Amino acid sequence: MRIISAAEVEAALDYPSLVERLRQAFRRDIAVPVRHHHDVEVTGGSTATLLLMPAWQVDRHIGVKMVTVFPDNAEKSLPAVMGIYVLVDGKNGSPLALIDGPTLTVKRTAAASALASSYLARPDAERLLMVGTGALAPQLIVAHAAVRPICNVLIWGRNPEKAKRLAKQMNRRDFRVDWTDNLEEAARGAHVISCATLSKEPLIRGDWLQPGQHVDLVGAFRPDMRETDDAVMRRARVFVDTRAGATKEGGDIVQAVDSGALSLDDIAGDLLELTRGERSGRRFYDQITLFKSVGTAIEDLAAAQLVCERY
C-alpha cells in the first residue's frame, strides 16, 4: 500500500487533467451512499465529528474518505478539520493507497467548480473575483483559469492583509492578481465571481450582478450559512453539483427555498446532467448563471484514482 503525501497529491493533480477526469466520472455509474455522520465525545472539550464518505466503481476501485472535525484544535495550534483517503482494489479488496485528505479535497473541490464553469461561464470570461482567502482560494483561481481565459483576478477577504498576501503570492506578468476592499465594485466588474467563505450573512447582492456573469458558490456548506442573497437566486439560472447534497446542505439553496425565492423545480441541472448532455448550460451570452457546490464522493474517488495512476 502506497502512502501519498500532500505534496505528492498537489504535484499529481494538474487542473486540466483533473477537470477532465471529473467530467468522465460524472458520466459513469459510480455508487455514492449517503455519508456517515457521527458525534464523538471529547472529555473536557467540544464534541468532535467523524465523517465517512464512501464511493465505488464496480470492478475498479472502492474509496472512503475519513474526516474528523475537532472544534477545539485551534487552542492546540492544530487544524480543526483533518482527514485521509483510502483507495481499495475493487476486485479483491486489497488496500492500494492512503492519500492525504485535505489536499485531495481542495483540489477536487476547485476542479468541480472549474468543470461547472466550463459549461456555465462565458467562453471569453477574463476577470475573476475571488471572495475568500482560505486554502481553497488559490486553488479556485488556478482551476477557473484552466477552463477560461482568466488573466485579471481581484481577491476580497474580511482580513485585507490576507487578501494582500495572497495577491502578492499569485501575481505574475501574464496573470494579474490584486486585492480589493470594495466588494460591490469588484463584483460588478467581474465575469466570474467565486466565493469560498464560512459566511452566515449574504456577501454578494443580486442588484450588483451584471448580464453574462457566472457565480460560483463553494463555501456555506451548512444550511445556516450563505454567501448570496435571495435576489441572486431570483436572477440566476441555478445549477448544483448534486441535487441531494445541495438541497439539504447548501445554505444558499436551502434558505432561498425556505423564503420562496427559489423552488426545487427552478434548479436547472446538476453536474451529472450537464456532463451527460441531458441539460444545457449557458443558453445565451447575457444570461446570469450560478453553481452551488457542497461536494460529492464521486469527486474524491476520481481524484484519488488519478493520483494513484501517477505514482
Side-chain angles (χ1 to χ4, degrees):
M1 183 178 70
R2 287 168 288 176
I3 297 176
I4 302 177
S5 69
E8 290 170 324
V9 174
E10 179 69 44
L13 297 180
D14 65 280
Y15 279 111
S17 299
L18 183 54
V19 170
E20 289 309 310
R21 183 56 63 95
L22 292 192
R23 197 189 311 274
Q24 294 303 319
F26 276 102
R27 289 172 176 167
R28 297 190 179 113
D29 291 325
I30 295 178
V32 186
V34 176
R35 72 180 184 182
H36 299 246
H37 182 290
H38 302 282
D39 292 333
V40 180
E41 289 185 18
V42 178
T43 302
S46 303
T47 299
T49 302
L50 172 66
L51 299 172
L52 302 172
M53 289 162 271
W56 59 82
Q57 192 174 358
V58 174
D59 292 333
R60 285 203 64 200
H61 296 103
I62 301 167
V64 181
K65 185 163 71 174
M66 185 184 82
V67 175
T68 57
V69 184
F70 279 71
D72 298 337
N73 271 6
E75 302 167 8
K76 307 170 187 175
S77 299
L78 292 171
V81 180
M82 291 187 271
I84 56 172
Y85 194 88
V86 181
L87 190 68
V88 173
D89 190 301
K91 291 183 178 178
N92 59 33
S94 60
L96 298 174
L98 185 65
I99 305 171
D100 179 80
T103 308
L104 189 79
T105 300
V106 295
K107 296 290 287 192
R108 64 79 155 155
T109 301
S113 285
L115 175 61
S117 190
S118 73
Y119 294 98
L120 303 177
R122 279 175 13 197
D124 62 350
E126 294 182 346
R127 298 193 298 272
L128 170 70
L129 169 62
M130 185 67 241
V131 181
T133 57
L136 263 170
Q139 301 288 348
L140 283 162
I141 291 169
V142 175
H144 279 291
V147 298
R148 288 293 182 261
I150 301 294
C151 56
N152 286 286
V153 179
L154 281 176
I155 300 172
W156 179 90
R158 294 186 189 277
N159 184 331
E161 291 304 315
K162 288 185 178 180
K164 288 180 188 178
R165 283 198 300 271
L166 180 57
K168 186 176 181 180
Q169 290 168 9
M170 301 199 69
N171 189 46
R172 58 180 192 261
R173 286 187 178 181
D174 62 335
F175 193 75
R176 185 173 177 272
V177 183
D178 206 344
W179 72 282
T180 182
D181 59 2
N182 190 328
L183 183 57
E184 178 179 351
E185 183 178 296
R188 289 180 181 275
H191 295 148
V192 176
I193 301 169
S194 184
C195 300
T197 73
L198 301 178
S199 180
K200 291 190 176 182
E201 299 294 334
L203 298 170
I204 302 298
R205 306 284 173 178
D207 59 2
W208 298 352
L209 297 185
Q210 305 298 307
Q213 287 181 318
H214 173 57
V215 181
D216 171 47
L217 303 179
V218 185
F221 56 85
R222 294 201 316 251
D224 63 334
M225 298 175 174
R226 72 183 309 181
E227 298 178 305
T228 58
D229 64 6
D230 283 351
V232 170
M233 292 295 168
R234 291 192 187 99
R235 295 193 63 190
R237 188 162 182 247
V238 176
F239 293 81
V240 297
D241 53 355
T242 66
R243 293 174 190 269
T247 56
K248 291 180 181 177
E249 300 175 13
D252 290 272
I253 302 294
V254 172
Q255 293 184 46
V257 170
D258 288 345
S259 71
L262 182 77
S263 75
L264 295 180
D265 291 337
D266 289 331
I267 297 174
D270 58 24
L271 284 180
L272 284 88
E273 294 165 324
L274 283 171
T275 56
R276 297 174 184 185
E278 297 170 4
R279 296 293 178 97
S280 61
R282 172 171 291 273
R283 288 178 171 171
F284 50 90
Y285 190 80
D286 288 343
Q287 188 171 46
I288 296 172
T289 55
L290 181 146
F291 174 68
K292 176 57 191 166
S293 167
V294 295
T296 168
I298 293 173
E299 299 159 3
D300 292 309
L301 180 62
Q305 288 173 326
L306 183 55
V307 168
C308 286
E309 287 174 17
R310 294 183 166 182
Y311 281 101

